[in-house]
Amino acid sequence: PVPRHRIGPVVHALLHLAREEGPLELAHRLEELLLAVDAFLPDRPAPYRDSVWWAVHLVTETLLRVPDALAHLGLLRLLTEWIVLWRAQGRGVPGEFGPEFWEALPLPEEERLDLLRRLVVADPPTGEGPRYLDAVSRLLAVDPAAVQPHLTRWFADDRPLAATPDATVATAAQALLHTHRRRALDDLAEALVDSAHRRGDELLSVLAEEEPSAVCRAVDRWAHDERPARRVAALTYALRAVPHVRTEADRELIRYVALALLARPADVTLHGGAIGLLVRDTRARPRHLPQALERFVAGDPHVPASALVPAFATHADQVLDAFRLRLRSLRAGSDEVLRTLADVTTPVLARQVAALIREVVELRPEAAGRVAAYVDRRLEHGPATREVLFPLVAGLLAGGPAQVRAAFAGVLAVPDTPASGGLRRELLDLLLASERDPAVLEAVLRAAVRGTSRGGDVETIHGADGETIHGADDGGDGGSSFRELVRRTGLLLVRTPEGATRFDRGLVDLARHVPGFAVQVSGWLSDSPAEWAAVVGPSARRMIENLAGVRVPA
């Protein structure tokens, strides 16, 4: 056999073959060598191991010395498939086919990155050997502008990585681009917008928050681009960047973007968003606020409520009037309007908002569900909200129609949280102290059970033989409080025949549809039969027993 140190002349012979007979003939010879590697991996007797050594080294050293490996792209793709297969089969991969080989191949970056894309799924866990993903990271660090566009093409590859199954080729590309973003931020923004892929959009949104200056420069370029898609991107990412802008230079760029879009009559669909940008800007606001308010009241989705929040500081009365008109109309998007108002916490403004909310509910009771969602959000702002929220809710509970009280019951009867500081339960007690309408009380029951179920208090315990026993929360304070709320609501309902029917029917319906509730109620009935006898009717009791699979003693 030829000694290993004599491999040089053999490689030269292969290269001479390529020069004399063309790269196709060389490709055939190299493919035969790869077939030998595949046949003899691993754990063969010494002569076979020597064959693998020769085959591997002849392939790698020849391909590294050809003037252009592009002629052997088909062979290289075949090699990537074998490497992935060998790794999946646990046969091992010769070190000569490691990342450094692929980095050194005389290839254009587009093809090199595509080959590495095929290989990264075969990477071992971090620290357990060389990784192809690390090679990509090195290439990206050396010449980010050249590599970024090719790496965005990985966004469509959702194959999982063997070393980290929760990650994919696509998410790995996102992570690498983000990690090396500051080496070429402007080029990265262009590569991402060129990709026209949702993963590119995701990363651009992250950049809008973390690197707003770079995104401001990008949207300034795109706003003056003749391609309509670029101008749409300019508005989209200007809106995402503007909450994170901190410098006057960036604010000026955003202003120029909005004005450039407004100057194009053909971009009329973008004008609403451009005006929304301008009302966030203290210098441009006085001129453009009237038009923004008009569009907002008309329900223009490109002028959302959040765009007007900064204007509260300078034009509070005008903005509140616009919110009033918008809420009275109950146009689509009212939920978003109320969510925005719920986050207005400045004391003076919060009181004005509360007065507005009460006015809207009194004028349009059908808005009660949306207003209840506002109350729910405000409750989680902490004890500081009490001064504004308690008078609002108490007044509506005392004088509002049943439709409003039932909507409020749905958010007051759910489990209290530390954030609300007990205000939710205090308002619920206020409701129950005077409430007699069966529909409102039934709303309390349903909200209490469903809310507790979502919070995890209603659960089922099984005995050793698999038999269902009773709800797990019976012994705890939370369970006792919940039980007392259900019983208290029942006692209020059974004062009238209609209320008693509603309570039984509601209890059975909830036992049927809320996991664990039937078991829990059956436990209450068996533990304190006399206490519940006047609340739960015999028919409802039998239904709950059947649903729970637990026989309560008569």
Side-chain angles (χ1 to χ4, degrees):
V2 179
R4 289 184 177 184
H5 69 274
R6 297 291 294 163
I7 191 173
V10 182
V11 171
H12 282 297
L14 289 169
L15 294 171
H16 180 73
L17 175 69
R19 288 192 296 271
E20 293 296 318
E21 300 188 28
L24 187 59
E25 187 61 33
L26 175 60
H28 288 321
R29 299 296 176 87
L30 295 178
E31 184 174 349
E32 290 174 356
L33 291 169
L34 287 179
L35 286 169
V37 176
D38 181 53
F40 297 138
L41 273 180
D43 300 330
R44 297 288 185 174
Y48 293 101
R49 290 200 297 271
D50 194 59
S51 298
V52 170
W53 186 94
W54 273 96
V56 168
H57 282 77
L58 286 174
V59 169
T60 55
E61 295 191 27
T62 301
L63 287 173
L64 289 172
R65 295 185 189 184
V66 295
D68 183 5
L70 199 57
H72 302 283
L73 192 58
L75 179 74
L76 290 167
R77 288 173 178 165
L78 178 63
L79 177 54
T80 65
E81 293 175 9
W82 269 332
I83 288 173
V84 172
L85 180 62
W86 295 335
R87 185 80 73 188
Q89 294 174 339
R91 298 171 66 189
V93 176
E96 292 77 12
F97 292 145
E100 292 182 356
F101 166 69
W102 302 91
E103 290 179 81
L105 282 169
L107 281 172
E109 290 304 286
E110 181 177 1
E111 281 70 26
R112 189 190 320 280
L113 267 295
D114 182 65
L115 292 169
L116 287 168
R117 176 186 64 81
R118 298 163 185 264
L119 287 165
V120 292
V121 295
D123 272 340
T126 304
E128 295 187 13
R131 301 195 313 159
Y132 300 106
L133 201 58
D134 293 334
V136 179
S137 183
R138 289 190 291 269
L139 293 168
L140 188 58
V142 170
D143 193 354
V147 173
Q148 287 165 346
H150 305 308
L151 206 50
T152 63
R153 295 172 190 169
W154 292 27
F155 289 162
D157 191 339
D158 287 321
R159 291 176 300 157
L161 302 183
T164 51
D166 291 338
T168 65
V169 175
T171 57
Q174 274 186 316
L176 283 173
L177 289 168
H178 180 262
T179 299
H180 295 280
R181 64 191 184 280
R182 289 183 177 159
R183 295 180 179 272
L185 270 170
D186 291 342
D187 293 302
L188 176 58
E190 296 301 326
L192 293 173
V193 77
D194 281 340
S195 73
H197 194 280
R198 67 174 179 86
R199 294 195 183 277
D201 295 341
E202 292 168 359
L203 190 47
L204 272 172
S205 296
V206 172
L207 294 182
E209 181 176 349
E210 296 180 352
E211 309 289 348
S213 294
V215 173
C216 287
R217 293 193 300 272
V219 297
D220 184 47
R221 293 191 300 271
W222 301 340
H224 297 87
D225 198 300
E226 291 305 314
R227 292 169 290 183
R230 282 294 186 277
R231 300 196 297 276
V232 172
L235 177 60
T236 300
Y237 294 104
L239 288 167
R240 294 180 188 177
V242 71
H244 310 288
V245 165
R246 297 292 178 267
T247 69
E248 182 54 38
D250 289 344
R251 281 190 281 271
E252 189 172 32
L253 285 175
I254 294 291
R255 193 182 311 130
Y256 290 157
V257 167
L259 293 172
L261 295 173
L262 283 176
R264 287 180 178 264
D267 287 343
V268 64
T269 58
L270 306 181
H271 288 181
I275 292 169
L277 286 172
L278 290 169
V279 296
R280 289 178 168 95
D281 185 284
T282 53
R283 287 178 55 183
R285 185 180 300 150
R287 178 181 176 185
H288 296 279
L289 182 60
Q291 189 178 6
L293 295 176
E294 182 181 346
R295 283 176 173 264
F296 170 71
V297 171
D300 186 338
H302 299 293
V303 186
S306 57
L308 301 178
V309 169
F312 271 121
T314 56
H315 300 77
D317 291 341
Q318 290 173 255
V319 175
L320 279 169
D321 284 343
F323 274 83
R324 180 178 291 106
L325 291 172
R326 176 67 181 271
L327 289 173
R328 283 178 175 177
S329 69
L330 291 183
R331 291 181 182 274
S334 295
D335 292 346
E336 188 263 340
V337 173
L338 286 165
R339 280 195 300 272
T340 301
L341 288 175
D343 293 332
V344 175
T345 55
T346 306
V348 173
L349 283 175
R351 284 193 290 273
Q352 290 177 293
V353 168
L356 168 61
I357 294 295
R358 178 162 187 164
E359 178 186 329
V360 168
V361 176
E362 289 174 346
L363 184 67
R364 303 294 297 267
E366 63 269 33
R370 292 167 176 170
V371 173
Y374 159 86
V375 170
D376 192 31
R377 190 176 181 91
R378 284 291 280 151
L379 281 165
E380 296 307 307
H381 281 251
T385 195
R386 177 188 178 84
E387 182 182 350
V388 171
L389 200 58
F390 189 91
L392 169 65
V393 178
L396 290 172
L397 290 178
Q403 181 180 3
V404 173
R405 303 197 308 276
F408 280 18
V411 300
L412 298 179
V414 300
D416 217 339
T417 65
S420 67
L423 182 55
R424 191 186 300 267
R425 180 47 55 91
E426 187 177 350
L427 288 168
L428 176 62
D429 287 341
L430 185 66
L431 168 68
L432 293 176
S434 58
E435 188 57 65
R436 295 297 178 266
D437 189 298
V440 178
L441 292 169
E442 184 178 355
V444 171
L445 173 68
R446 291 183 178 276
V449 175
R450 287 175 176 149
T452 302
S453 175
R454 283 194 297 272
D457 289 327
V458 178
E459 50 182 276
T460 301
I461 288 182
H462 298 278
D465 59 355
E467 181 187 2
T468 303
I469 302 176
H470 58 73
D473 68 341
D474 284 13
D477 291 340
S480 175
S481 174
F482 170 53
R483 181 180 64 244
E484 288 309 310
L485 175 57
V486 173
R487 184 171 177 274
R488 181 182 179 186
T489 306
L491 288 170
L492 291 172
L493 276 167
V494 298
R495 292 180 178 186
T496 66
E498 180 193 353
T501 300
R502 278 180 178 266
F503 184 69
D504 281 353
R505 186 173 58 209
L507 212 60
V508 171
D509 184 57
L510 291 164
R512 182 176 287 113
H513 294 105
V514 176
F517 185 57
V519 174
Q520 192 171 38
V521 175
S522 70
W524 299 342
L525 298 176
S526 62
D527 290 343
S528 307
E531 184 179 282
W532 289 89
V535 184
V536 181
S539 177
R541 175 174 175 155
R542 286 193 298 273
M543 284 293 296
I544 292 169
E545 292 175 24
N546 292 335
L547 289 167
V550 177
R551 186 65 186 175
V552 181

